[in-house]
């Protein structure tokens, strides 16, 4: 399993020294389509989300395809080893989703709403510049996301360490 480095950056503050978080833990209550995925907690701004974690090519390709109900999850974190520009698509994804892209420092690049697609050709959804992290959540979740929002991969609240 790939351990995720904590990206700690708060809006208008300098980055803290990155450390390594606990590896994500398996969750027995995931939707059946996500068997084999692990879960972790992340923070976007002041909001804590519980997400499935996609760290391999197979998991990036699977994403939330076929999932009708996220159950206890708020969404999925796509963690890439380096910054990428690859667009996302909603082929065989059954629920509308928001996606937020974050650069290697954890700063918000862009947030979009994506609609389900069951037949080709499906539209693609890309960021305006390279990103290292992408978070998918139920549609509407990122509607009011501040342009200064940042991503924190941690179990501790960002405000707890101020």
């Amino acid at each position: 399993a790939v351990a995720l480095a904590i990206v700690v950056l708060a809006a208008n503050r300098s980055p803290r020294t990155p450390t390594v978080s606990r590896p994500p833990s398996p969750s027995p209550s995931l939707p059946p389509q996500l068997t084999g995925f692990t879960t972790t907690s992340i923070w976007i701004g002041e909001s804590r989300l519980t997400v499935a974690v996609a760290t391999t090519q197979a998991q990036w390709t699977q994403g939330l395809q076929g999932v009708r109900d996220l159950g206890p999850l708020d969404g999925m974190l796509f963690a890439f080893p380096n910054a990428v520009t690859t667009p996302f698509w909603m082929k065989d994804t059954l629920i509308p989703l928001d996606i937020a892209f974050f650069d290697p420092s954890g700063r918000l690049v862009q947030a979009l709403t994506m609609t389900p697609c069951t037949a080709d050709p499906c539209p693609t959804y890309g960021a305006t510049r390279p990103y290292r992290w992408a978070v998918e959540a139920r549609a509407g979740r990122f509607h009011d996301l501040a342009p200064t929002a940042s991503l924190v991969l941690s179990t501790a609240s960002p405000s707890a360490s101020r």
Side-chain angles (χ1 to χ4, degrees), residues 43-134:
W43 292 84
I44 297 178
E46 294 295 321
S47 297
R48 181 180 183 195
L49 288 81
T50 300
V51 293
V53 181
T55 59
T56 67
Q57 181 67 48
Q59 291 174 333
W60 300 327
T61 300
Q62 168 63 37
L64 292 172
Q65 289 181 355
V67 175
R68 290 186 187 282
D69 180 5
L70 291 174
L73 295 176
D74 294 302
M76 180 173 283
L77 170 70
F78 293 80
F80 299 95
N82 301 297
V84 297
T85 57
T86 307
F88 280 64
W89 73 337
M90 294 284 285
K91 176 75 170 144
D92 298 326
T93 303
L94 306 174
I95 54 177
L97 298 169
D98 279 359
I99 188 165
F101 299 97
F102 296 89
D103 71 15
S105 298
R107 291 182 182 95
L108 178 66
V109 171
Q110 184 175 10
L112 305 166
T113 298
M114 306 184 295
T115 56
C117 179
T118 56
D120 288 326
C122 291
T124 59
Y125 302 88
T128 55
R129 63 180 197 273
Y131 62 92
R132 178 155 181 222
W133 318 94

